[in-house]
Amino acid sequence: MRGRPTIFKEQELLEKAQHIFWEKGYTATSLEDLLNAMKIGSGSFYNTFKGGKKELFSRAIQQRREAFAEFKAIVDASTAPLQVIKDFYRSLAHADKQTHLQGCLIANTVTEMTFVDQSLEEEAVRVLKEVEQMYINVIEKAQRDGTMKNKTSAEILGRYLITFWCGFNVTRRMYPDNAILKAQIEMQLSVLS
Amino acid sequence: MRGRPTIFKEQELLEKAQHIFWEKGYTATSLEDLLNAMKIGSGSFYNTFKGGKKELFSRAIQQRREAFAEFKAIVDASTAPLQVIKDFYRSLAHADKQTHLQGCLIANTVTEMTFVDQSLEEEAVRVLKEVEQMYINVIEKAQRDGTMKNKTSAEILGRYLITFWCGFNVTRRMYPDNAILKAQIEMQLSVLS
DNA sequence: ACATTTTTGTAGTAATCAATACAAAATAAA
DNA sequence: TTTATTTTGTATTGATTACTACAAAAATGT
């Protein structure tokens, strides 16, 4: 291949952009913010991301979806998948303040974009539904093999978990305090006993 | 009083502005959007709201806080306050699609403003904490008088309810379907038995 | 060395942003 | 009727928005 070589890696650009979007959302993030974070000029930017700001945001969501897929692979490979999920929630009580305040990029996007950009909102909803479906599958299995005693339908319990996730990402902004959050998580998980 | 009379009522302006902010959030709502909705010119607008767009948004939040205060008055006057709260949650399963998609102005604001405008975010967090405190008081009382058997600390159960509220406002955007939401609400409320 | 291809950096675009300036309009008090 | 006061509508501000045009720079292949 010939031509002037790129001085950045696309993946690294994406991660820096994702961080800004995660904090400020789509609308409040300006192109200037993004270019400063990525440390590239607008020439390179539009050369790399032909779809502009919206494509970049969409890619940030998809990158988050990829992170979920990696987690799902661990869950699927586990002999105690429900335990893996519970451990994930418990691990939230060890996060730092910045992480608490950022919340969840996907849930943030659903909230921000419903009446702003339908396609981006739908993209985010799809990811949440994928997570929910994984919860449902794991709970169904745990109910069959007796790991879980609660006989409420897996669908409703899975929805309970994703509702908890979305709610928790507001709660942790109200109380970015791991002691408080730990107690909250334990109570909420006890429903899945 | 002398001078040219106003042709609008401030309260009505506020309600129209609140509706736009509720749908699109603070940043994505332009002054043009607001003036179109209020049907006034920028002259009248800045004459009425000296603090501009931000004051208007703050007033919209405070108006929402006022709506909560009215609900709280009903709760405080009731002999079965926990039942009033549960009924409120059950009533959410009878809302229309638009209402589901709008979610909660206060929760939306916490999500949007954390890294955009600290003072507006704090204002919204304060309202959520007020609601939470009301939940805690009511639960404490219900535990004392035996209405509620669950002995988990009222603080954690109150936090459970506000977490549910915030999460539910995402869930209802994923599934603006009253049959689904009704089943979800019943399961979540059963924790408070 | 030279031609070709691609990226980079910069200058500039039109559109929109929130907010102002200010004169005309519309009232009440004197 | 005149004067004082306030609101309204419009024109305009400077800043910022996302995005583009394009020449210089930097590489490879011949």
Side-chain angles (χ1 to χ4, degrees), chain A residues 19 25 41 58 60-61 74 98 104 111 117 139 145 154-155 184 186:
Chain A
H19 179 254
S58 173
I61 291 178
I74 295 171
Q98 165 75 22
C104 166
T111 302
D117 188 300
I139 289 169
D145 70 18
E155 203 173 35
Q184 207 53 41
E186 288 303 333

Side-chain angles (χ1 to χ4, degrees), chain B residues 170-185:
Chain B
V170 179
T171 312
R172 69 206 294 210
R173 292 192 240 227
M174 297 171 67
Y175 301 102
D177 175 322
N178 284 331
I180 290 178
L181 296 175
K182 183 178 159 61
Q184 207 54 41
I185 292 163

